[in-house]
Amino acid sequence: MRKRILLLASLVAALAAIGAFASAQHAAARVVASVASCPTVKAGQLTIGTDNPAYPPWYAGGTHGSKWKINDPSTGKGYESAVAYAIAAKLGYARTKVSWTYVPFNKAFAPGSKSFDFDINQISYTPARAKVVTFSKSYYDVNQAIVVNKGTKIASVRSIAGLRSYKLGAQLGTTSYQFIKSRIKPSQTPSVPSSNAAAVLLLKNKQIDGLVVDLPTAFYVTAAQVPNSKILGQFENTAGQTTDHFGVVLQKGNPLAACVNKAITTLRANGTLKKLQQTWLAKATGAPILK
Amino acid sequence: MAGESDRRADLEVDRARGSRLVSSLRSGGDSRRSVAIALLSTVVFFVAVGVAITHAPGWPEVRSQFFDWGEFKATFPEVARAFLLNVKIFSIAEVLILAFALFLAVLRSLPGPVFFPLRMLAIVYADLFRGIPTILVIAMLGFGAPALGLSYIPKSVTFWGIVSLVLIYSAYVSEVYRAGIESIHPSQEAAARSLGLSHGQTLRRVILPQAVRRVIPPLLNDFIGLQKDTALVGTLGAIEAFQQSQIDTNATFNFTAYLSAAVLFVAITIPLARFTDWLILRDRRRRVAGGTA
Amino acid sequence: MSALTVERLTKSFGKHVVLRGVDLEVAEHEVIALIGASGSGKSTLLRCINLLEAIDDGRIFLGDREITGARDVNAVRRRIGIVFQSFNLFPHMNVMRNVTLAPRDVLGLSKPEAETRAVDLLERFGLADKRLEFPDRLSGGQQQRVAIVRALAMRPELMLFDEVTSALDPELVAEVLQVIGELAEGGMTMVLATHEMSFARDIANRVCFLDEGRILEVGTPEEIFTRPREARTQQFLERIIKARRL
């Protein structure tokens, strides 16, 4: 009997100890957050995250043997790479003080503290997403576009209504899928593959009739990924709706966001953003508009 | 059964003697107290774990991102609808797997030198498809086959998803059948062949009915694995439950949709497991007859 | 013409030689008892006769036709019935199905024909009321009798019994021996491997003593049990008598 009382007592003690430890952790976490006004994960360095592979025209210039497939973000080439370095400069970080880290799309918004200061990866702002992470101001306003194989039936469609009877696809995690569902409303269930590579293959193999992606990506798809394809058209952001735009993603409540927004506002005001768009996304204006 | 009845009677006497001994060592009150302590310490343990988790600094964030009731209610209907595709895939696949795997197991058991190439084929098949990761087969067939450009090859990713799962799981299930077949005592085959039944008749009437009944638990295990692997077809673009929960997750950056999918998968597993338990109980009597080792 | 002729039968399992040139001739309606120590080759001999084991040398004739190396083994086995020590009933089938399986699938009898035949045999041996039971509900003696009925349902020319009572409790042995005795009286050609010496003495026409893979001595029951010629036969019988099994 005595043995049993002892056992119970030790269990209760363990409980109390765990509770005390837990609340001590809580207190410690609160202390760390209130350090600098433009705080970074690693002092003296700006850590930027993006996904691997880093696709054109957002990134350009590969380094041989680099762990970054297709393009290396640290070249400064490509729209997002250029914008990222421009923001870094405004925050006071030279090229050498910027490091890139691989952040798969899902990790950008997973709970817990982030391993990056901000993530730049063609992530569209949505109000729901903004509840979980902090978005910066827009660094690019997005138009959706649709890519098709030349010479197929869908290639002669001239309106959104005409697209409804076809099998469309969009990559998982993009607002392109939401666009298909809310604006096009096709009769067949769209295809939503997990990776860009899969989406491209489906179009190439004619397993889908049309692939919906943002306009700059559409140019890359037709230029490099799917031979004999063309951009059927682009879609306008409808009036009254929040313009679909890309923002960089930061940990919710990260005070660095204010600093980043200041930088972006400056870059927009002094024409840097426009210039970078002209350099890297020039082609992304020529596609016909489908209504 | 023969001498078993005597042996059983002896066992009963021993057991009775034994339990009388044990119960004389403890009084009724003592054993009740032990149960109470066991229950109490289990409860305390889980409460302790629960407290530790809910007091962790990241808990509120985790809870709202993984266990949000509003989000669950919002995502569940669409995820459930998408789950119908999983059900369609594994229902069709399982029927084909059970048949094809049986065929492979029988191939493997064909006796004599003349059937050696067929046996070899079955062995190579099983090794190959158990070795290659499922996602690779699905990707290679789901994209590769339509890429050939032959007009009569279906382009549907669901079709190729089913084909891939059938090819892979048949390899595993054929080994399960084989284990069942080999567990049947050779005297059964001897008795059947002695009556003049051919190898095929023996398999069909005597060996397989017993073998298959014996391996129902591992067959169920593989079926449950299959149900979960249907989620891999989503990577090809088919909107099944997991892909739908990924869509929702990516749209809102909230992971509760995964919980919706998880609940559905568990919901079909439980009745299936109980059904299997019932099957096993019902067949217990027919599994061993007298005198066979 | 004999019902069964075995010439120079030789069988090894790997390096272990089990049968060293066995010669045996069984006339129609004759009952042969095989006796001998464990490992002397009795079971192996029976299993070679119904082609369950492939033989290394020698010939076997069933009636006037050679069956060694027969191409249609199943056809041969239809003509020979064998009952094993462990009853080997099919546990997933009831008694009726156990008995009618081979007549229907192998002989092509229709269901009613096969069932009539089965019921006749089961009635003859007092098992008719058990016909819908599963083997696990039967006593050892009942299971063994069903096994005999199952073999008889094929109307074989020759019945082989491989120590069919050795696994039974003593009080159940008698009912099985009675069945075998009735069969013998009915004129069935039989070869029995057995330890039941008194039974052998009662029903066998001839007794063969197997020793280390060879038939050492053959004779009528009286000759073998009361006046054995070979020393080893005597030794064997002495051991049996000491164990009070004779």
Side-chain angles (χ1 to χ4, degrees):
Chain A
M1 192 56 207
R2 203 171 296 166
K3 230 199 284 187
R4 289 175 190 141
I5 294 178
L6 224 67
L7 183 65
L8 252 175
S10 50
L11 277 166
V12 174
L15 222 180
I18 291 169
F21 178 70
S23 34
Q25 287 283 77
H26 221 168
R30 268 179 270 135
V31 171
V32 171
S34 59
V35 174
S37 51
C38 287
T40 53
V41 165
K42 290 202 191 105
Q45 196 178 302
L46 189 66
T47 311
I48 308 180
T50 194
D51 207 340
N52 197 358
Y55 288 101
W58 313 107
Y59 298 90
T63 319
H64 184 71
S66 160
K67 62 171 183 175
W68 295 97
K69 304 284 171 228
I70 303 182
N71 297 307
D72 191 329
S74 56
T75 56
K77 298 194 198 145
Y79 182 65
E80 281 190 347
S81 180
V83 168
Y85 279 111
I87 296 175
K90 284 278 174 276
L91 291 175
Y93 293 94
R95 287 282 296 257
T96 48
K97 292 284 191 240
V98 174
S99 72
W100 288 87
T101 179
Y102 163 48
V103 178
F105 186 76
N106 274 4
K107 275 288 258 165
F109 49 89
S113 46
K114 310 276 183 256
S115 58
F116 51 81
D117 293 311
F118 65 78
D119 188 326
I120 179 168
N121 189 22
Q122 308 115 59
I123 305 177
S124 290
Y125 165 90
T126 73
R129 288 175 172 180
K131 289 199 205 132
V132 179
V133 292
T134 295
F135 275 90
S136 71
K137 292 194 154 81
S138 162
Y139 63 86
Y140 182 65
D141 294 342
V142 185
N143 274 6
Q144 298 290 337
I146 180 165
V147 181
V148 301
N149 288 296
K150 285 190 198 150
T152 54
K153 251 176 56 179
I154 193 178
S156 46
V157 167
R158 292 286 168 260
S159 66
I160 292 183
L163 294 170
R164 293 214 168 100
S165 56
Y166 291 96
K167 179 113 180 141
L168 305 175
Q171 188 190 338
L172 176 70
T174 56
T175 42
S176 309
Y177 171 70
Q178 306 299 339
F179 185 84
I180 294 178
K181 265 189 59 183
S182 55
R183 288 281 296 278
I184 305 181
K185 302 202 241 270
S187 50
Q188 295 183 57
T189 314
S191 184
V192 186
S194 301
S195 64
N196 175 279
V200 161
L201 255 178
L202 288 174
L203 183 65
K204 232 203 267 188
N205 293 342
K206 302 206 175 86
Q207 290 172 277
I208 54 176
D209 300 313
L211 178 64
V212 177
V213 284
D214 61 80
L215 190 52
T217 303
F219 276 97
Y220 179 60
V221 171
T222 51
Q225 291 182 302
V226 182
N228 233 19
S229 63
K230 69 170 190 180
I231 299 180
L232 186 62
Q234 60 175 305
F235 306 97
E236 288 173 312
N237 279 297
T238 46
Q241 277 191 345
T242 321
T243 315
D244 190 0
H245 64 266
F246 292 158
V248 312
V249 163
L250 303 102
Q251 176 131 19
K252 187 100 183 107
N254 189 345
L256 185 65
C259 315
V260 170
N261 281 339
K262 216 165 88 175
I264 291 180
T265 309
T266 310
L267 292 170
R268 194 183 280 277
N270 68 13
T272 310
L273 282 185
K274 190 153 186 191
K275 211 171 76 181
L276 292 176
Q277 285 173 22
Q278 278 172 344
T279 310
W280 300 108
L281 307 175
K283 299 197 199 118
T285 43
I289 295 179
L290 292 178
K291 294 198 209 263
Chain B
M1 239 180 290
E4 276 266 334
S5 54
D6 285 340
R7 275 171 258 141
R8 234 183 259 150
D10 286 11
L11 260 172
E12 299 289 33
V13 175
D14 285 342
R15 223 175 267 146
R17 247 186 250 143
S19 61
R20 257 179 276 140
L21 192 64
V22 170
S23 60
S24 69
L25 288 178
R26 319 158 151 189
S27 64
D30 245 329
S31 56
R32 249 178 277 135
R33 215 172 295 153
S34 322
V35 170
I37 297 286
L39 233 72
L40 191 60
S41 48
T42 309
V43 168
V44 168
F45 173 76
F46 279 107
V47 167
V49 169
V51 168
I53 290 177
T54 53
H55 278 65
W59 170 246
E61 203 187 345
V62 169
R63 197 182 66 174
S64 65
Q65 276 206 273
F66 280 92
F67 302 105
D68 184 278
W69 177 241
E71 196 58 30
F72 183 86
K73 276 199 295 190
T75 54
F76 190 81
E78 218 173 346
V79 173
R81 232 172 301 139
F83 189 66
L84 291 175
L85 181 58
N86 300 76
V87 174
K88 174 175 159 193
I89 293 175
F90 70 63
S91 303
I92 297 176
E94 181 66 2
V95 170
L96 296 171
I97 289 166
L98 288 174
F100 184 46
L102 190 59
F103 169 71
L104 288 171
V106 169
L107 263 189
R108 189 90 182 249
S109 78
L110 288 172
V114 61
F115 288 119
F116 177 72
L118 287 177
R119 287 202 297 278
M120 245 1 272
L121 203 67
I123 293 174
V124 168
Y125 179 93
D127 288 349
L128 192 70
F129 280 100
R130 284 188 300 171
I132 306 181
T134 309
I135 183 68
L136 284 188
V137 178
I138 288 183
M140 289 198 289
L141 285 178
F143 295 131
L148 290 173
L150 297 167
S151 55
Y152 49 82
I153 292 187
K155 295 206 182 276
S156 152
V157 295
T158 304
F159 172 83
W160 288 110
I162 294 177
V163 169
S164 309
L165 290 171
V166 170
L167 290 176
I168 292 166
Y169 273 82
S170 296
Y172 287 96
V173 174
S174 73
E175 287 298 300
V176 171
Y177 280 141
R178 202 165 73 96
I181 291 172
E182 304 209 344
S183 77
I184 305 297
H185 199 273
S187 59
Q188 285 287 296
E189 192 181 349
R193 296 307 304 275
S194 299
L195 288 167
L197 289 158
S198 68
H199 179 79
Q201 287 170 321
T202 305
L203 260 182
R204 203 171 120 236
R205 298 285 195 206
V206 175
I207 307 292
L208 287 177
Q210 296 183 63
V212 172
R213 281 193 182 92
R214 276 196 195 179
V215 294
I216 288 176
L219 283 181
L220 173 72
N221 247 13
D222 280 337
F223 186 30
I224 293 178
L226 172 73
Q227 290 166 3
K228 299 206 289 265
D229 274 348
T230 56
L232 294 171
V233 184
T235 54
L236 299 178
I239 303 185
E240 46 73 48
F242 182 60
Q243 201 69 352
Q244 178 61 50
S245 50
Q246 293 240 71
I247 291 172
D248 290 329
T249 299
N250 286 325
T252 60
F253 285 4
N254 188 298
F255 292 88
T256 308
Y258 288 147
L259 195 64
S260 297
V263 162
L264 287 160
F265 278 106
V266 171
I268 42 160
T269 303
I270 293 181
L272 208 57
R274 298 292 79 75
F275 172 68
T276 310
D277 288 344
W278 175 78
L279 267 181
I280 296 169
L281 261 165
R282 190 191 70 151
D283 280 324
R284 189 169 283 166
R285 61 176 334 211
R286 303 195 197 157
R287 286 205 277 147
V288 182
T292 47
Chain C
M1 184 194 72
S2 330
L4 173 73
T5 312
V6 175
E7 278 176 19
R8 294 183 338 265
L9 188 56
T10 310
K11 171 71 184 171
S12 310
F13 287 106
K15 289 216 197 94
H16 178 52
V17 183
V18 180
L19 296 173
R20 302 165 197 275
V22 170
D23 293 301
L24 180 65
E25 222 176 283
V26 183
E28 260 183 82
H29 313 303
E30 209 185 351
V31 177
I32 306 281
L34 295 176
I35 64 172
S38 312
S40 55
K42 305 194 294 294
S43 284
T44 310
L45 176 59
L46 294 179
R47 291 170 69 100
C48 287
I49 292 174
N50 90 329
L51 305 182
L52 268 184
E53 304 284 356
I55 64 177
D56 298 325
D57 198 9
R59 298 162 85 182
I60 307 175
F61 296 81
L62 191 61
D64 54 354
R65 274 211 298 233
E66 181 167 359
I67 63 173
T68 12
R71 242 177 313 162
D72 190 357
V73 185
N74 302 325
V76 172
R77 293 200 188 122
R78 273 180 233 153
R79 300 161 62 195
I80 305 176
I82 184 167
V83 184
F84 301 94
Q85 179 174 327
S86 35
F87 336 117
N88 297 352
L89 293 182
F90 307 132
H92 60 298
M93 299 179 180
N94 64 19
V95 167
M96 180 61 94
R97 192 78 183 98
N98 259 277
V99 176
T100 57
L101 175 68
R104 285 173 68 184
D105 281 16
V106 177
L107 299 178
L109 265 60
S110 71
K111 183 158 170 225
E113 284 175 333
E115 291 196 343
T116 317
R117 188 185 284 196
V119 167
D120 279 341
L121 283 167
L122 290 168
E123 273 175 356
R124 210 171 114 197
F125 298 111
L127 292 163
D129 59 334
K130 298 283 180 205
R131 68 184 188 286
L132 295 176
E133 296 282 9
F134 281 85
D136 67 334
R137 292 274 207 203
L138 305 176
S139 75
Q142 289 165 334
Q143 287 189 52
Q144 199 58 304
R145 286 188 285 150
V146 171
I148 297 175
V149 164
R150 182 175 68 174
L152 289 176
M154 295 295 284
R155 305 225 173 122
E157 298 165 22
L158 167 70
M159 281 289 283
L160 307 174
F161 294 86
D162 188 0
E163 304 204 22
V164 299
T165 54
S166 300
L168 294 177
D169 288 336
E171 73 272 15
L172 300 171
V173 168
E175 65 193 65
V176 177
L177 295 183
Q178 191 188 357
V179 165
I180 302 179
E182 281 177 31
L183 278 181
E185 270 170 47
M188 173 65 78
T189 316
M190 306 197 295
V191 179
L192 292 135
T194 187
H195 285 314
E196 298 289 335
M197 299 301 161
S198 13
F199 180 67
R201 191 155 65 181
D202 287 339
I203 71 159
N205 299 112
R206 279 188 296 150
V207 176
C208 300
F209 174 64
L210 241 85
D211 183 54
E212 287 184 358
R214 226 170 250 144
I215 295 187
L216 200 61
E217 202 172 333
V218 185
T220 65
E222 214 195 273
E223 286 167 4
I224 295 291
F225 290 121
T226 56
R227 298 186 304 270
R229 287 191 308 274
E230 299 288 331
R232 292 180 68 87
T233 322
Q234 288 169 8
Q235 283 164 16
F236 175 73
L237 289 172
E238 267 160 34
R239 287 207 302 274
I240 300 288
I241 292 169
K242 245 198 246 169
R244 270 177 242 142
R245 299 204 65 172
L246 189 52

